[in-house]
Amino acid sequence: MPDDSIFPQLGPAQSAIMPKPRTMASAATVAPTTAFTRFTGATPITTITPPVNGYHQLTFVFTTATAGHLGTGGNIATAWTSIADRPITLHYDPRTALYYVNTIGAS
């Protein structure tokens, strides 16, 4: 269940008193609580539990390059294949209740 009281933890500007970014094992459903989260493991993520009710952005970094790290079937609009240690940003649209992947292409 979303917790709007943690909304400041999801903002782009973070102070030293804010929780540090977390590292989590990838799973079919994940529940990030900070704006930046690192994931280990090879299980594709298909559902993200929204940490707040409104629009927000989350940044994920996968520590291994495994095909299908973000999959459809839950609340992720399009599948995405990870690149190790390359951040991706997801935008949550509360109208559709879906996360949209915004990636930076390989250089």
Side-chain angles (χ1 to χ4, degrees):
M1 175 147 214
D3 179 5
D4 288 338
S5 70
I6 68 166
F7 189 77
Q9 293 174 205
L10 300 172
Q14 300 285 307
S15 73
I17 64 171
M18 300 304 279
K20 302 294 184 227
R22 296 177 57 196
T23 298
M24 303 171 63
S26 62
T29 299
V30 297
T33 58
T34 57
F36 186 93
T37 305
R38 295 181 66 86
F39 287 96
T40 62
T43 303
I45 298 169
T46 57
T47 302
I48 302 166
T49 302
V52 294
N53 288 307
Y55 168 83
H56 58 276
Q57 298 176 28
L58 299 173
T59 300
F60 290 173
V61 173
F62 295 94
T63 59
T64 58
T66 303
H69 252 338
L70 293 177
T72 59
N75 64 349
I76 298 171
T78 55
W80 182 79
T81 301
S82 66
I83 299 171
D85 297 319
R86 173 136 333 155
I88 62 155
T89 302
L90 297 107
H91 300 266
Y92 181 73
D93 180 354
R95 277 181 320 110
T96 61
L98 292 173
Y99 281 93
Y100 295 89
V101 178
N102 180 38
T103 63
I104 298 173
S107 51

